[in-house]
Amino acid sequence: MNMGVTTIRNYSRSVREEAEERAKVLSLPYVPREGTLEDMAERFHMDGFLIYGKKQPSFWTEGEEYRFHLGTAVLRTTQLERGNKDRLCRLLPEERPLSVLDATFGQGGDSTVISWFLGKEGAVTSLEKSIALYEIGRAGLSSFDGGSERMTEALRSIRLLHEDFRSFLQKAEPKSFDVIYFDTMFRAPVKREVNRMEGFRRAASYDRLDEEILKLALHIARKRIIVKERPFSPLFQNSLFSSVHSHKGQSTAYGVIDL
C-alpha cells in the first residue's frame, strides 16, 4: 500500500510537527494537508493516509477511516469482573507470572483483554506487521483513556512491536514466551456487513499460518500455543494440535498446542 502522512484540515503548528516527525520515524512521505483526502490521494498517487490531529491519529483509505478504540474489550472485561469466563483467557495456563506473545495485534482487543486479565502477574508483547495498524495501536496504547485505572494500566503495559510474526519467530530466543497466540485476519470476515470495519480491513496484513510457522512457535513457546480460526479450518487437522475448542453456533474456534 502506498501510504502518506498528513494532518487534519485545521491543524496547529504542534500537530504539523508531530505528523512530520512520525513520518520520519515510519519512513513515510509527509504530505501537507490541502483540500480533500480524495483529491490528495489522486494527486499524490496515495492509497491511504495516517492523519494526525488533536486526538488519536486515524488511518484513511478510499473514504473509510479507522482509529483506535476498545471495541468488545470493555464488554469482555466487564463479564470477567462479574465472574464469567472469557473464551480466550480460560485457555491460558494457570501458572503465574505468565508471558504472552500476541503475534497478531490488529485492533488490539485480545492483547488488551489478556493484559487486563493477567494484571501485574503477566507481560504481554504484541506484534503488528501493518505500519498503519502499528502506528494507530502505538498511539492508542500510550495515550488512550481506558475509562478505568485497571483498563488504562492494561493498555500501557502492552509492548507493541512493528514486526512480522514469521521473521520475529525466526530470530527470537528459544523458550522466550510462555504462550504464543495467533489470530490472523479472515479473508472472508465474520459478519462483515455488521462490523463495518473496512478501513481497518484494508490496512491489515493477511499473512497466513502454516505448519512452518507453528513449528517455529514450538521452539519459542514454553507452555502453550493458541490459534483462533474458523471451526472448519484445515489448520486444525494438523496433528500438532492437542485440542480444539468450539461451540455450536459460534463462528470461531480456538486450537491449542500444549508443550
Side-chain angles (χ1 to χ4, degrees):
M1 175 179 284
N2 192 22
M3 188 188 317
V5 172
T6 191
T7 65
I8 57 175
R9 282 180 181 269
N10 299 315
Y11 59 86
S12 63
R13 178 178 176 179
S14 61
V15 166
R16 188 199 71 220
E17 290 175 346
E18 179 189 14
E20 291 175 336
E21 176 61 25
R22 292 310 300 168
K24 290 179 182 178
V25 170
L26 299 170
S27 298
L28 294 173
Y30 171 74
V31 182
R33 184 64 183 265
E34 296 178 0
T36 68
L37 294 169
E38 287 82 0
D39 289 343
M40 290 172 60
E42 182 177 358
R43 189 184 323 143
F44 296 102
H45 307 289
M46 295 288 179
D47 299 309
F49 291 100
L50 280 165
I51 307 169
Y52 292 81
K54 297 177 182 179
K55 300 180 180 180
Q56 297 288 325
S58 64
F59 174 69
W60 176 95
T61 179
E62 298 182 18
E64 301 286 343
E65 196 164 354
Y66 170 71
R67 66 178 69 247
F68 186 85
H69 60 88
L70 292 177
T72 60
V74 175
L75 298 176
R76 291 169 65 187
T77 53
T78 298
Q79 290 300 310
L80 284 166
E81 281 187 316
R82 293 173 179 172
N84 297 316
K85 301 289 186 180
D86 180 80
R87 290 182 67 203
L88 174 56
C89 291
R90 69 192 297 271
L91 297 177
L92 295 173
E94 294 183 2
E95 298 89 343
R96 300 290 187 271
L98 203 64
S99 61
V100 178
L101 174 67
D102 181 354
T104 47
F105 180 78
Q107 298 176 60
D110 286 329
S111 285
T112 300
V113 173
I114 293 171
S115 180
W116 184 97
F117 179 73
L118 295 176
K120 298 185 184 301
E121 294 186 321
V124 179
T125 298
S126 299
L127 311 178
E128 180 50 57
K129 180 179 180 179
S130 162
I131 194 167
L133 297 188
Y134 162 76
E135 181 64 0
I136 297 296
R138 179 203 63 80
L141 295 178
S142 65
S143 60
F144 193 84
D145 183 355
S148 69
E149 182 177 353
R150 183 170 178 178
M151 182 63 85
T152 300
E153 287 180 354
L155 293 172
R156 302 293 184 269
S157 65
I158 297 169
R159 176 173 173 245
L160 180 61
L161 304 176
H162 181 214
E163 291 266 9
D164 163 67
F165 59 69
R166 184 182 297 270
S167 60
F168 181 88
L169 293 174
Q170 287 172 338
K171 64 187 179 184
E173 291 293 326
K175 306 304 176 186
S176 50
F177 294 94
D178 293 316
V179 177
I180 299 179
Y181 172 61
F182 294 97
D183 176 16
T184 55
M185 286 289 291
F186 299 146
R187 293 185 182 276
V190 178
K191 299 180 181 178
R192 184 171 196 162
E193 69 284 358
V194 176
N195 290 337
R196 296 179 181 177
M197 296 295 294
E198 291 306 301
F200 167 78
R201 289 190 59 79
R202 291 170 186 168
S205 168
Y206 287 82
D207 288 354
R208 309 307 297 163
L209 285 184
D210 53 33
E211 187 169 350
E212 179 188 356
I213 294 295
L214 293 177
K215 288 183 175 179
L216 282 171
L218 285 171
H219 292 290
I220 310 306
R222 285 190 289 263
K223 298 177 180 179
R224 184 167 292 175
I225 299 167
I226 304 173
V227 175
K228 182 180 180 182
E229 256 290 359
R230 294 296 187 89
F232 49 81
S233 171
L235 192 66
F236 289 150
Q237 303 303 313
N238 193 297
S239 60
L240 291 172
F241 284 92
S242 310
S243 59
V244 176
H245 302 259
S246 62
H247 299 282
K248 185 177 181 180
Q250 292 181 331
S251 56
T252 58
Y254 292 94
V256 172
I257 301 175
D258 282 319
L259 286 78

